[in-house]
Amino acid sequence: MVFCLENEEPRLSLRSAMVHFQASEVQQLLHNKFVVILGDSIQRAVYKDLVLLLQRDSLLTAAQLKAKGELSFEQDQLVAGGQLGELHNGTQYREVRQFCSGSGHHLVRFYFLTRVYSEYLEGVLEELTYGPAPDLVIINSCLWDLSRYGRCSMESYRENLERVFVRMDQVLPDSCLLVWNMAMPLGERVTGGFLLPEMLHFLTQLQPLAGSLRRDVVEGNFYSATLAGDHCFDVLDLHFHFRHAVQHRHRDGVHWDQHAHRHLSHLLLTHVADAWGVELPKRDYPSGCGPGVNFVPGPLPPPVPGPIPHGQHRGPVVHRGMPRCAPNSPYHVPRMGGPCRQRLRHSDRLIHTNKLDRQPPAHSGTWPG
């Protein structure tokens, strides 16, 4: 299915730019890799689809997408929070999950975040410091930050973004690839569970406030992508890729169906393979066939000629493991710390797969596997 706006020409498929991965190929790409995913319920679905795709070529069910804090999902294990504690929609909600494949060659861990930087995140970073070092970190936090922390939420969000990228730069080894997933577009009506009851009432009754949150997400995406680039981290612009995919968004205006999440996995894995310098499989599916072809995004916009005015994007923000510490960046964002160090291009070095034995993990739970 190809998306297009009314009175526009049908949009072309992007299959040439993105690979539809099979489970065996995902297993090979992530062989002996430790993947850490941090974020809200959208990123939990990213974790679930990746765990499923590491085992077989099938899509998540609606029930699996909706489930929260369950004790086990597709051979994974709930390590902390969720049903082991109290299920609620407060900012202190915690959920830590982990999947270890039967072969022991694939390790994927998920941490639920309600704020991009906090004392809880510092505890997570401590675990990553004293436990096995991750090879791939996928992170996003935006909606909770902009809707649950008071009137100055955008200012706090910008400061916390700077803090988290500084700390990630300090904690993660140079061999680790960090991908910042930009927040996905919201619907015109937002009824997600992250909203307080009183705010939910205003957003469902007053469209201007709902539109304000949508604009805040765009602004937050701008700052997060800029700061991630300043720290030489990779950025995947999911807001761009899913901007025309309204039929795949749930009625709550926040969450997405299984076809959207499989497409997201393909985008993410294509990006990771490119950053690691892995040659991607080439295949052409007949129209309407093959895994994940029920979702096709819009094409890239035409290039913008000449100099770019302040605040204008040429297209989707996609950094692929490249040093991004450009002193003359057109995006003037106040920095809290000193200049970041140059991170090596991932395609120019080997990714370490043998982890050093360190101190026991700081987590109070017991890691399975």
Side-chain angles (χ1 to χ4, degrees):
M1 180 180 302
V2 179
F3 303 124
C4 60
L5 298 178
E6 187 176 0
N7 299 326
E8 283 191 1
E9 295 296 326
R11 299 182 180 275
L12 300 178
S13 167
L14 286 185
R15 291 196 187 98
S16 59
M18 183 195 70
V19 173
H20 291 79
F21 285 82
Q22 296 176 353
S24 58
E25 295 159 348
V26 179
Q27 294 166 9
Q28 184 177 6
L29 177 65
L30 300 181
H31 184 78
N32 282 346
K33 296 293 191 291
F34 176 27
V35 181
V36 176
I37 301 175
L38 306 101
D40 57 13
S41 55
I42 299 291
Q43 304 310 307
R44 178 171 57 208
V46 172
Y47 161 85
K48 286 185 174 182
D49 195 67
L50 182 59
V51 166
L52 182 60
L53 194 50
L54 276 168
Q55 299 177 77
R56 62 181 184 273
D57 295 305
S58 60
L59 298 175
L60 294 168
T61 66
Q64 288 175 327
L65 279 171
K66 187 177 181 179
K68 167 183 177 179
E70 64 270 45
L71 295 177
S72 181
F73 159 80
E74 293 292 342
Q75 312 303 317
D76 87 335
Q77 183 174 339
L78 178 65
V79 178
Q83 292 185 10
L84 296 177
E86 180 183 356
L87 292 175
H88 58 84
N89 291 330
T91 56
Q92 298 303 311
Y93 178 73
R94 300 290 181 256
E95 182 177 342
V96 183
R97 317 193 64 87
Q98 179 162 287
F99 168 77
C100 183
S101 65
S103 65
H105 291 297
H106 306 96
L107 182 63
V108 187
R109 189 182 299 168
F110 169 74
Y111 295 91
F112 191 94
L113 300 182
T114 61
R115 203 168 197 179
V116 70
Y117 180 81
S118 62
E119 291 184 5
Y120 175 71
L121 183 73
E122 279 293 342
V124 172
L125 294 178
E126 184 177 1
E127 289 179 8
L128 299 181
T129 300
Y130 293 112
D135 300 286
L136 172 62
V137 172
I138 302 162
I139 178 173
N140 170 267
S141 184
C142 183
L143 292 181
W144 284 76
D145 297 76
L146 299 181
S147 62
R148 296 294 295 270
Y149 293 96
R151 295 181 178 272
C152 300
S153 57
M154 182 62 73
E155 181 180 353
S156 298
Y157 185 51
R158 290 173 60 177
E159 293 174 353
N160 285 333
L161 283 168
E162 179 66 25
R163 292 187 180 101
V164 74
F165 290 134
V166 167
R167 291 294 290 126
M168 290 289 184
D169 204 30
Q170 293 170 346
V171 170
L172 299 179
D174 288 338
S175 60
C176 178
L177 173 64
L178 184 144
V179 180
W180 175 264
N181 279 347
M182 293 172 69
M184 301 173 76
L186 295 178
E188 294 183 0
R189 289 183 176 271
V190 178
T191 60
F194 64 93
L195 294 172
L196 289 171
E198 56 269 25
M199 187 173 185
L200 178 60
H201 170 75
F202 283 118
L203 287 177
T204 53
Q205 299 298 322
L206 302 178
Q207 289 303 305
L209 289 179
S212 176
L213 182 58
R214 296 173 70 190
R215 291 190 294 272
D216 286 346
V217 168
V218 173
E219 183 178 353
N221 274 340
F222 170 79
Y223 291 126
S224 65
T226 301
L227 290 171
D230 283 348
H231 287 272
C232 315
F233 292 125
D234 286 32
V235 178
L236 186 58
D237 192 345
L238 299 179
H239 196 283
F240 170 84
H241 284 291
F242 289 85
R243 70 199 188 284
H244 296 306
V246 293
Q247 54 267 65
H248 291 280
R249 187 168 51 215
H250 287 171
R251 291 183 178 180
D252 65 4
V254 177
H255 298 95
W256 300 76
D257 68 14
Q258 60 268 42
H259 299 289
H261 276 287
R262 179 51 48 88
H263 185 79
L264 195 163
S265 295
H266 291 324
L267 286 169
L268 182 60
L269 292 168
T270 300
H271 183 99
V272 170
D274 179 68
W276 285 345
V278 176
E279 184 176 355
L280 298 175
K282 297 179 181 179
R283 67 173 65 88
D284 292 321
Y285 288 112
S287 177
C289 300
V293 299
N294 287 328
F295 182 98
V296 180
L300 299 178
V304 179
I308 305 176
H310 172 69
Q312 178 178 343
H313 287 282
R314 286 187 182 273
V317 178
V318 180
H319 305 156
R320 292 190 173 91
M322 300 282 287
R324 294 283 173 169
C325 301
N328 298 321
S329 170
Y331 305 144
H332 305 291
V333 179
R335 296 182 59 83
M336 297 176 56
C340 65
R341 72 176 187 269
Q342 294 284 339
R343 299 184 71 86
L344 295 181
R345 181 189 309 236
H346 287 82
S347 58
D348 292 343
R349 62 178 297 161
L350 296 177
I351 305 299
H352 299 292
T353 57
N354 297 322
K355 306 300 179 185
L356 297 176
D357 292 330
R358 301 185 182 182
Q359 300 181 28
H363 200 283
S364 59
T366 301
W367 296 114

